[in-house]
């Protein structure tokens, strides 16, 4: 729970350092003084990197972009949780007021065969791009048929599609899963199309191709522990996994 008093604190930061996927990594602990509790976890890493640069050491490599909880690039495993101990937030939305004087903050990259380490805390998440490219699209037909956007959609179905589309592809579901499964991500991308008229044309092909690509890239199987749902910064529901399974089975029957 967030602290109400904002002050500067002294902490230890235990960070995973690894020069490349082919080299062994290790944890390195740094002392950091007078960190504002109003700072985000990424701003704390900026402060630490400034200190390392002034000491002539290599700064810590990590991914980030928008810093507004939108892009999902700030994917860090903090104190045993993807994106940190707070619920329904991304790493950039986690603030130092969640930590106390003298705390040790342990920061790791995502751990998955599908997300090899590039350097330090940065991993290669292009596997998700490849899965989406395998089937996560809709056709564009400019003929005389009614445009998909003009077809009335029941409110509850539209809401479910929007909820599924909220997935930002950060990979926290993979990091949280003991099997390294990407089923929550894949099911969200399948669901956002399967629920709407625009996605019906490629429905069968989409489910088969995206699942096949997920397996090819080394992600594990889902065993329904719900860790993915609990750690997802956008609270994507595992009901989407059930929908993906139904779409996949229907596609197989059509074959």
């Amino acid at each position: 729970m967030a602290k109400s008093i904002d002050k500067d604190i002294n902490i230890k930061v235990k960070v995973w350092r690894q020069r490349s996927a082919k080299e062994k990594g290790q944890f390195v602990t740094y002392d950091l003084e007078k960190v504002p509790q109003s700072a985000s976890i990424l701003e704390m890493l900026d402060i630490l990197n400034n200190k390392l640069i002034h000491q002539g050491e290599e700064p810590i490599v990590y991914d980030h972009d928008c810093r507004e909880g939108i892009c999902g690039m700030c994917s860090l495993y903090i104190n045993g949780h993807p994106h940190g101990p707070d619920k329904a937030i991304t790493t950039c939305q986690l603030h130092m007021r969640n930590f106390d004087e003298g705390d040790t903050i342990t920061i790791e990259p995502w751990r998955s065969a599908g997300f090899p380490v590039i350097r330090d805390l940065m991993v290669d998440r292009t596997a998700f791009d490849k899965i989406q490219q395998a089937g996560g699209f809709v056709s564009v037909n400019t003929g005389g048929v009614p445009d998909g956007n003009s077809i009335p959609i029941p409110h509850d179905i539209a809401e479910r599609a929007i909820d599924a589309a909220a997935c930002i592809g950060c990979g926290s579901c993979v990091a949280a899963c003991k099997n390294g499964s990407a089923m929550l991500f894949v099911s969200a991308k399948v669901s956002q199309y399967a629920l709407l008229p625009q996605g019906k044309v490629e429905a069968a092909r989409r489910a088969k191709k995206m699942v096949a690509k997920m397996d090819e890239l080394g992600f594990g199987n889902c065993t329904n522990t719900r860790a993915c749902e609990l750690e997802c910064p956008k609270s994507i529901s595992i009901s989407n996994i059930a929908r993906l399974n139904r779409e996949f089975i229907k596609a197989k029957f059509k074959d």
Side-chain angles (χ1 to χ4, degrees):
M1 183 176 293
K3 311 297 186 299
S4 59
I5 300 175
D6 190 17
K7 60 181 180 180
D8 292 349
I9 57 174
N10 302 322
I11 58 171
K12 292 183 182 292
V13 188
K14 188 177 179 182
V15 183
W16 184 259
R17 303 302 306 263
Q18 184 174 346
R19 294 188 65 85
S20 71
K22 296 181 180 179
E23 298 183 35
K24 289 185 177 181
Q26 62 180 349
F27 281 107
V28 180
T29 301
Y30 302 97
D31 291 313
L32 205 53
E33 299 177 347
K34 297 182 178 180
V35 179
Q37 284 192 308
S38 59
S40 70
I41 198 83
L42 295 187
E43 289 169 336
M44 180 275 290
L45 286 174
D46 291 338
I47 294 170
L48 176 54
N49 274 343
N50 283 334
K51 178 181 177 180
L52 294 177
I53 291 169
H54 282 103
Q55 293 175 175
E57 300 179 41
E58 286 286 331
I60 299 161
V61 176
Y62 63 95
D63 233 338
H64 65 92
D65 190 11
C66 73
R67 299 201 179 201
E68 294 179 347
I70 297 171
C71 70
M73 290 183 67
C74 55
S75 302
L76 301 179
Y77 204 82
I78 303 167
N79 285 359
H81 297 273
H83 295 297
D86 262 8
K87 298 295 183 184
I89 63 166
T90 53
T91 297
C92 61
Q93 295 173 303
L94 179 67
H95 284 76
M96 296 305 298
R97 64 179 67 97
N98 289 275
F99 304 98
D100 293 312
E101 173 73 22
D103 278 357
T104 297
I105 303 174
T106 303
I107 305 178
E108 308 171 62
W110 285 169
R111 304 292 191 182
S112 169
F115 295 150
V117 172
I118 296 174
R119 184 162 182 169
D120 295 339
L121 303 174
M122 181 184 288
V123 300
D124 183 354
R125 291 186 295 127
T126 55
F128 272 11
D129 296 329
K130 294 175 182 176
I131 291 173
Q132 290 197 86
Q133 289 165 5
F137 60 89
V138 296
S139 292
V140 177
N141 189 334
T142 57
V145 297
D147 178 61
N149 294 320
S150 67
I151 301 174
I153 301 169
H155 177 75
D156 63 323
I157 293 178
E159 286 294 314
R160 276 182 273 160
I162 290 171
D163 288 344
C167 171
I168 56 177
C170 67
S172 64
C173 52
V174 177
C177 180
K178 65 180 182 179
N179 306 317
S181 173
M183 281 288 280
L184 190 65
F185 164 75
V186 176
S187 67
K189 296 307 172 187
V190 166
S191 291
Q192 72 183 66
Y193 295 120
L195 287 163
L196 300 176
Q198 295 93 329
K200 300 299 183 184
V201 178
E202 292 90 6
R205 182 172 60 184
R206 179 182 302 113
K208 290 187 296 181
K209 284 194 171 184
M210 293 182 77
V211 169
K213 181 59 71 172
M214 174 182 66
D215 293 340
E216 176 192 325
L217 293 171
F219 293 101
N221 295 317
C222 174
T223 51
N224 291 309
T225 63
R226 295 189 67 185
C228 55
E229 181 183 65
L230 292 172
E231 299 287 4
C232 175
K234 300 302 179 181
S235 301
I236 302 299
S237 171
I238 61 168
S239 63
N240 290 300
I241 296 178
R243 183 175 297 105
L244 169 60
N245 289 334
R246 293 194 296 270
E247 291 292 319
F248 186 79
I249 292 170
K250 284 193 294 184
K252 286 297 184 181
F253 274 125
K254 285 183 179 180
D255 288 344

